[in-house]
């Protein structure tokens, strides 16, 4: 979610370009204007030179912000100082202009219009930040107001007193409107954050619903496959075992014994896969968390996956650790398969010596960490904040729906764990954290 402070600063910088250019132009006009008193003119020109310098600084900071699209602490501190010098220089310059032109109603009117205009405009440009706004309004207006109070003390002209009070009322109005502007900006940002949160929840619910529907369909298919495969498989396994025993008993050709042994091993592997399919069909949606060995879950997952990796000549590296975790093993297998799928897709186009996937298990406090990394190039860090967003994918069109990582992270969070992405040694690594004890 967007931070109010950060977004406020971004908003201030985003609106700073127009007043920055305007201030520099106005100060330049005053600098070159035809004033008569050389002594006062020196002070006015010095103040205007400071205004131009401060706004060149502000302009450079705007360019820096535009490139980064974010306000760092250093940049914000510099912007505050530039704003301070800009507002103080304006106040001094306008006060000296009034002193220089005491008998010129036209110049006095022009100065008042400039002062009131720029302070009112500051509601939109600086109003989001109270300190910046108040500093600008006070420093640019108080010196001018003080001059009119001094003029009234000398001449007792009611118009000078009226102008002074008008400027004070204008300051109060501008500050109060800045407060309203800040409140409305905060309300809008809160509404935007609430909308983003609801959209995110809706996307996650849609993804989970679609996932559940797919699992239900997969469960029905798995039950049918398991039933159809199990019966002929039992016949094949029984006959191969009889043949194996006959060859061994009668000391027949050793090569026949080897072939029979391989056939038994393959049929046993098919039996384990069918058993996993039947388990999946019975628990495709139901969530049951109990204690399980993480090594056993990983080995069951690799029963499905090792042949697929061998087909593409992908090296599988495993560093396992015997540790009991509290989980729903079927859901954990789903997460691991998603991570393995992504890792496989990341290395398919690489040379053979770079096609590897590593699955490493370790402990971190009361969590077991299953880290899945691959030999492919690291994911762009600019995508890190979006990688777990539903329907976001880095794969080409038609090769991914963008649901795998979002669903996997949801499963991890429901287990009181997490799914994190890291960059390690130039490669992408996903870390699945699962609790060793019941944390529900």
């Amino acid at each position: 979610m967007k931070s109010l402070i950060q977004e406020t600063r971004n908003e201030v910088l985003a609106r700073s370009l127009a007043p920055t250019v305007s201030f520099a132009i106005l100060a330049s006009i005053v600098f070159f204007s035809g004033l008569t008193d050389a002594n006062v003119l020196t002070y006015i020109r010095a103040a205007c030179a400071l205004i131009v310098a401060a706004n060149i600084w502000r302009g450079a900071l705007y360019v820096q912000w535009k490139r980064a699209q974010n306000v760092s602490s250093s940049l914000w501190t510099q912007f505050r100082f530039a704003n301070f010098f800009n507002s103080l220089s304006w106040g001094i310059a306008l006060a000296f202009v009034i002193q220089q032109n005491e008998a010129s109603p036209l110049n006095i009117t022009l100065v008042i219009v400039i002062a009131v205009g720029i302070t009112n405009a500051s509601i939109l440009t600086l109003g989001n930040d109270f300190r910046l706004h108040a500093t600008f309004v006070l420093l640019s207006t108080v010196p001018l107001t003080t001059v009119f109070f001094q003029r009234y003390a000398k001449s007792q002209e009611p118009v000078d007193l009226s102008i002074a009070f008008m400027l004070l009322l204008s300051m109060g109005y501008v500050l109060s409107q800045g407060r309203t502007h800040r409140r409305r900006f905060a309300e809008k940002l809160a509404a935007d954050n609430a909308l983003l949160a609801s959209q995110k929840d809706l996307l996650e619910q849609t993804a989970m619903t679609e996932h559940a529907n797919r699992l239900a369909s997969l469960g029905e298919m798995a039950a049918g496959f398991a039933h159809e495969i199990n019966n002929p498989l039992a016949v094949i396994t029984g006959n191969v075992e009889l043949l194996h025993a006959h060859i061994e008993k009668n000391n027949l050709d050793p090569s026949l014994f080897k072939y029979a042994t391989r056939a038994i091993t393959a049929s046993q592997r098919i039996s384990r896969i069918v058993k996993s399919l039947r388990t999946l069909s019975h628990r495709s949606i139901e969530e049951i968390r109990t204690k399980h060995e993480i090594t056993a879950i990983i080995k069951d997952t690799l029963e499905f996956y090792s042949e697929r990796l061998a087909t593409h000549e992908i090296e599988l590296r495993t560093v396992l650790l015997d540790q009991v975790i509290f989980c729903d093993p079927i859901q954990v297998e789903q997460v691991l398969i998603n991570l393995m799928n992504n890792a496989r897709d990341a290395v398919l186009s690489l040379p053979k010596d770079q096609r590897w996937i590593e699955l490493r298990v370790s402990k971190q406090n009361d969590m077991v960490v299953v880290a899945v990394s691959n030999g492919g190039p690291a994911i762009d860090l600019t995508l890190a904040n979006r990688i777990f967003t539903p329907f976001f994918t880095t794969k080409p069109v038609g090769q991914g729906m963008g649901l795998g990582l979002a669903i996997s992270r949801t499963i991890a969070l429901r287990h009181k764990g997490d799914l994190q992405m890291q960059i390690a040694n130039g490669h992408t690594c996903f870390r699945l954290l699962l609790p060793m004890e019941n944390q529900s």
Side-chain angles (χ1 to χ4, degrees):
M1 294 304 168
K2 300 175 182 177
S3 164
L4 177 59
I5 294 177
Q6 194 65 25
E7 284 303 305
T8 295
R9 293 177 177 180
N10 281 326
E11 188 73 10
V12 170
L13 264 296
R15 294 171 179 263
S16 68
L17 181 61
T20 294
V21 175
S22 300
F23 287 152
I25 292 174
L26 275 173
S28 299
I29 291 173
V30 175
F31 186 91
F32 292 108
S33 62
L35 299 176
T36 57
D37 191 324
N39 294 327
V40 179
L41 182 59
T42 301
Y43 296 128
I44 295 172
R45 284 185 168 175
C48 289
L50 286 175
I51 292 172
V52 173
N55 283 283
I56 290 175
W57 189 6
R58 278 165 48 113
L61 294 173
Y62 173 84
V63 172
Q64 184 179 339
W65 168 82
K66 193 69 175 178
R67 290 174 179 171
Q69 286 295 313
N70 197 30
V71 183
S72 64
S73 297
S74 172
L75 190 149
W76 184 250
T77 300
Q78 292 182 65
F79 187 81
R80 288 176 59 190
F81 275 112
N83 184 76
F84 174 83
F85 287 116
N86 176 61
S87 52
L88 181 60
S89 301
W90 266 115
I92 293 172
L94 294 176
F96 275 128
V97 169
I98 294 296
Q99 286 185 335
Q100 167 70 15
N101 297 273
E102 291 184 352
S104 174
L106 181 61
N107 283 345
I108 292 174
T109 302
L110 179 62
V111 167
I112 294 172
V113 168
I114 291 174
V116 174
I118 63 176
T119 52
N120 274 276
S122 70
I123 296 172
L124 294 178
T125 57
L126 297 174
N128 284 331
D129 185 276
F130 176 76
R131 286 186 294 181
L132 279 180
H133 190 216
T135 298
F136 179 81
V137 171
L138 293 175
L139 291 182
S140 61
T141 313
V142 167
L144 186 61
T145 306
T146 304
V147 168
F148 278 104
F149 275 120
Q150 290 174 345
R151 282 166 57 94
Y152 174 74
K154 292 179 181 179
S155 64
Q156 297 296 307
E157 288 288 342
V159 66
D160 292 330
L161 185 62
S162 298
I163 292 174
F165 277 113
M166 183 197 72
L167 291 172
L168 288 176
L169 288 174
S170 177
M171 280 192 294
Y173 168 79
V174 170
L175 291 175
S176 67
Q177 288 301 300
R179 180 181 180 184
T180 302
H181 182 75
R182 285 192 301 278
R183 184 178 70 250
R184 289 181 177 175
F185 179 80
E187 291 171 352
K188 181 179 180 299
L189 184 63
D192 289 346
N193 284 338
L195 179 61
L196 288 173
S198 63
Q199 289 177 339
K200 181 181 178 183
D201 290 341
L202 180 61
L203 285 173
E204 289 180 352
Q205 289 300 321
T206 302
M208 291 303 295
T209 300
E210 184 171 341
H211 181 59
N213 292 336
R214 289 168 62 188
L215 282 179
S217 300
L218 178 61
E220 294 177 5
M221 293 173 59
F225 290 155
H227 177 74
E228 294 297 327
I229 293 173
N230 204 43
N231 291 334
L233 178 64
V235 175
I236 294 172
T237 302
N239 281 284
V240 171
E241 287 177 347
L242 288 174
L243 180 61
H244 183 273
H246 178 73
I247 294 173
E248 183 179 23
K249 181 178 179 180
N250 294 286
N251 293 320
L252 299 180
D253 187 348
S255 62
L256 296 177
F257 182 80
K258 180 175 68 174
Y259 296 145
T261 301
R262 288 180 178 176
I264 291 174
T265 301
S267 64
Q268 289 173 345
R269 183 170 182 270
I270 295 173
S271 180
R272 288 196 300 272
I273 293 174
V274 170
K275 182 180 177 181
S276 298
L277 286 174
R278 294 177 66 182
T279 303
L280 180 62
S281 70
H282 291 141
R283 295 178 50 206
S284 59
I285 301 178
E286 182 183 9
E287 183 178 302
I288 302 175
R289 298 180 196 165
T290 51
K291 291 183 177 180
H292 296 274
E293 281 280 352
I294 185 62
T295 301
I297 295 174
I298 291 174
K299 288 181 177 179
D300 287 344
T301 303
L302 296 181
E303 285 288 344
F304 288 102
Y305 222 86
S306 56
E307 193 67 30
R308 193 180 306 180
L309 297 180
T311 300
H312 295 288
E313 300 181 274
I314 299 173
E315 178 188 359
L316 177 63
R317 306 170 184 174
T318 58
V319 181
L320 304 182
L321 175 68
D322 292 330
Q323 182 63 54
V324 175
I325 60 173
F326 195 85
C327 69
D328 181 328
I330 300 300
Q331 290 194 345
V332 174
E333 286 183 24
Q334 292 167 11
V335 175
L336 292 177
I337 288 174
N338 281 333
L339 297 181
M340 296 287 286
N341 278 334
N342 290 340
R344 181 204 61 185
D345 292 343
V347 300
L348 278 180
S349 61
L350 299 178
K352 291 182 181 180
D353 61 338
Q354 297 179 28
R355 295 181 196 170
W356 58 265
I357 298 175
E358 181 178 274
L359 199 153
R360 179 181 295 270
V361 182
S362 60
K363 287 198 299 184
Q364 178 179 310
N365 300 327
D366 58 346
M367 294 281 183
V368 168
V369 181
V370 183
V372 180
S373 54
N374 62 80
I379 294 176
D380 189 345
L381 286 176
T382 58
L383 305 177
N385 293 331
R386 303 174 60 195
I387 200 71
F388 295 110
T389 303
F391 305 109
F392 174 79
T393 179
T394 58
K395 297 178 182 179
V397 176
Q399 294 189 20
M401 296 181 61
L403 291 175
L405 288 176
I407 292 172
S408 297
R409 190 162 191 263
T410 300
I411 291 173
L413 292 173
R414 287 184 175 179
H415 278 74
K416 308 300 180 184
D418 199 2
L419 180 62
Q420 305 167 346
M421 188 197 82
Q422 291 184 345
I423 305 299
N425 300 321
H427 303 291
T428 303
C429 176
F430 285 94
R431 301 173 74 248
L432 174 62
L433 283 75
L434 296 167
M436 289 186 281
E437 297 180 358
N438 184 2
Q439 298 184 17
S440 60

